[in-house]
Amino acid sequence: MHVVELTILADNRVAASSPRGLRGEWGFAALVGGVLFDTGYGGVVPENAARLGRPLDAETVVLSHGHDDHTRGLDAALAHLDDPTVYCHPEVWRARYRAPEDGGRHIGCPYTRETVADRATVVEHEDSVDVADGIHALGEIPRPHADAAVGVIETPDGRRPDPVPDDQALAVETGDGVAVVLGCGHAGLRNTVEYAETVTGG
């Protein structure tokens, strides 16, 4: 089994002082092998990738879910990519909000499917899909155990809690077993790990 390198490109803080100039932000993005997993919030991904010596030339982007701290940087990332394929759950485009007691602001993906499809091939999936050699985007994760849903969505009957059904993770096959890379893990860590084992047979 080949070695897959993991490089964090966006996170809430910069964990090391070298190389100089790395920027943190509210959000998450990582290169997992040649797959860009999430895109952060404010567009630091291309700059951080360059400073880390990791050219941003991924052919594949996977969105873990539709919250803006994982998707708002998509515009900046796509500007550096040549006709990539973006994998996501069909619910990733849904309007989402903080609960009223938390201010109620919009926290969903700021782009529509159509605007992204003008710059990338969009593949919506609910089942797991292989996105690279030994790397699986899990799709919609069954939830027999507790999850970590957050926020609200609009429905014809008003706003209701958002179960974040689009939450997915990457399952990476390694020589030491299956590694799981999560965005926020709204589906719940136990649910995600168990489903990754089911998908990979690990």
Side-chain angles (χ1 to χ4, degrees):
M1 195 64 63
H2 63 283
V3 175
V4 176
E5 185 174 359
L6 171 67
T7 304
I8 305 297
L9 297 180
D11 203 353
N12 295 356
R13 66 186 181 91
V14 175
S17 59
S18 178
R20 293 177 62 100
L22 291 175
R23 295 171 55 202
E25 67 176 12
W26 177 252
F28 178 76
L31 276 174
V32 183
V35 175
L36 178 60
F37 185 52
D38 286 341
T39 61
Y41 182 83
V44 304
V45 165
E47 179 183 334
N48 282 348
R51 290 186 183 276
L52 288 165
R54 294 296 309 272
L56 196 59
D57 56 3
E59 296 180 357
T60 301
V61 179
V62 177
L63 300 178
S64 66
H65 63 295
H67 285 145
D68 57 2
D69 54 330
H70 296 257
T71 62
R72 193 168 178 259
L74 184 58
D75 182 64
L78 290 179
H80 288 76
L81 302 178
D82 183 20
D83 192 28
T85 300
V86 176
Y87 291 87
C88 62
H89 188 285
E91 289 283 311
V92 84
W93 317 109
R94 184 174 195 131
R96 307 185 132 102
Y97 305 88
R98 288 201 174 279
E101 60 270 21
D102 294 328
R105 75 171 181 85
H106 184 262
I107 58 171
C109 178
Y111 312 111
T112 65
R113 186 192 192 284
E114 291 71 28
T115 58
V116 174
D118 282 342
R119 305 171 68 187
T121 300
V122 175
V123 176
E124 295 178 344
H125 64 106
E126 296 181 33
D127 296 327
S128 64
V129 60
D130 297 347
V131 294
D133 184 24
I135 302 178
H136 314 269
L138 293 181
E140 191 165 334
I141 298 168
R143 302 184 185 190
H145 313 293
D147 61 18
V150 65
V152 295
I153 51 175
E154 290 281 4
T155 74
D157 300 319
R159 292 188 177 183
R160 65 173 177 81
D162 180 9
V164 198
D166 46 314
D167 183 78
Q168 67 172 329
L170 295 182
V172 183
E173 297 181 42
T174 77
D176 296 319
V178 177
V180 179
V181 185
L182 298 93
C184 278
H186 291 296
L189 180 59
R190 184 177 178 187
N191 294 323
T192 303
V193 169
E194 288 183 357
Y195 189 54
E197 291 174 338
T198 297
V199 168
T200 62

